[in-house]
Structures are given as C-alpha cells and as structure tokens.
Amino acid sequence: MKIEDLKLFVQVAGYLSLREAALHLNMQPGTLSKVVRRVESYYQQALFVRIGKGWQLSPAGKTLLARSNELLNINHDIELELGQPQRTHMRISGADGLLNHYLPALVAPLQEYDHELTLATFKDPGVDSLLRYQVDLALVATNGEPPQIQGIKTKLLAQVKFVLACNSSHPLAKRESAIPITEILEYGFIVPSSNIYGDTGSLLSNDGWHDEAFARRIVARVDTISALASLLKTQHWLAYIPEYLLDENQLSILTSHGCPYTCNQFIWLCCHQKIQYGWINRLF
C-alpha cells in the first residue's frame, strides 16, 4: 500500500461524491476512482456505499479513515522534524486572491534551493485543511491578530487596504477630487459570490463593504479573481478590492467621501508549530 494512495483516500473521504472530490482536488474523476479501487483491492473491502448520486463511508471505510489519519499524522511528524526525504512538494491553501498574489513570492526562494519543486494548491480561506494535514502551509487573512490556534505558528506577510477601483475609461476615473459616496453608488458593482479574499471582517459581504449602510447596485457576482479582474478591466463597473490588485490589472483607484468605513486585512503564513527542519522552516 502506497502512502500517497492513503493520503488521497483521506482527502476523498471528506467529500460527498467522487465528482465533488475531483473538482476540489483538481484531479480527473477517473484518476481518483483508480486510487479508490486500488485501496479497496488491497484491503479486500468496499470503502464507500453509494447513496443516490453521492456516497458515504462503509464501516470498513470509517475504520480505514481513522487508522490512515493516525498513520499519516505520524509520517507527517517525521517529515516535519527531519525534513522531507525527497524533492520539495509544497501543499498550500488559501483564498483565491491570496494564492494568486502571494504564491509566486513563496515559491521563488524554494526554487532556488530545489529546482524540482512541485506544487499543489487548495482553496480554503481558513486553517481547516492545515489542521487536517491536507496541506503544509495556509495563507490566512484576518482583521488584526493572527489566528490563535494551538499548535499553529504564523508569520505576517503583509497588511492590505481595500480600495474602490475601476478601469481607466470609466466616467469617474478622471476625477481628481474625492467623489461623494452617493454618486459612486449610482454605478454598478462587481462583487464576490464567495470568499475569494479571505476574511474581511464582514458578515454581510465577501469584500468588506457595508451594504447595510451603503447599498450598492450589484450587476455581477463572480467567484474567481480572474473573472472579477476581466470584467473590471472591460466594463464601466466598480469593485471594492485589495490594493494589490490595482497594479496587477492596471486599474484606477477612486477616492470617495461620505463613507466612514474601511476594510483592512493582515495576511499570515501559517504552519504547524512542531516544524524544526526542512523547507517549510526556511520560509519562516
């Protein structure tokens, strides 16, 4: 039994169907199906029971999941304490925006050390994947203090301010003076339909905007940074975005008055406290 197969089994077991698992793990359903069949063949046990279009773990599957987690945790501790014995393989989670912006800077120093570096990303705005040992690192946004979780250490990467943005051809782009918030709200907004920036401190919006006080006319909802940037660059729409997206997409910033609210994030790199050696420790 290959330990990599057990790792995939543990990850697949957390989803409601093979198709959902393949989508979130960025793998082909056929590839995951082969892994499941290999593990079932090895132990001569059915690990999943189909329910409609989904599945759930069989009694044997639940037993194997518990034992696999124990085994993988031990293996993970060994690799953390002694360093991974083979090429560097970075597994990192974060919100879409954080992975897009911060990942290149994290990969660059590791590539200098190991040109055979491989990488796997997982969309998770929190530390759940890190706590389940599905990733080695997590990019996490907070409104101030780092995540206070036992056994997790953090490193501050940046402090980010959110700004009003549009493309250079937008009617408001040439205004040099601050624009009344009432005038800004006359234009359509693009907003995230999911948590693509990480925690913004708001329970009412995914971009930290206070819609309860300054209701926007929402014309588009998107769930990726690429879709938001593409629309923002080509349409006469506005968006409230982290400032690092301005230069990356050649966008204009708008200054407003009449709104007392701002959104600020602190970006943290998180890993397990027990790390003493290896490539993860070098990043810290």
Side-chain angles (χ1 to χ4, degrees), residues 21-46:
L23 178 64
H24 284 83
L25 297 175
N26 295 319
M27 297 180 67
Q28 293 296 322
T31 302
L32 284 182
S33 179
K34 289 179 181 178
V35 172
V36 172
R37 288 201 299 270
R38 275 203 303 268
V39 179
E40 288 181 327
S41 176
Y42 182 86
Y43 292 110
Q44 294 295 297
Q45 298 282 346

Side-chain angles (χ1 to χ4, degrees), residues 52-66:
K53 295 183 179 180
W55 64 12
Q56 68 179 22
L57 286 170
S58 67
K62 292 177 181 178
T63 299
L64 181 60
L65 178 62

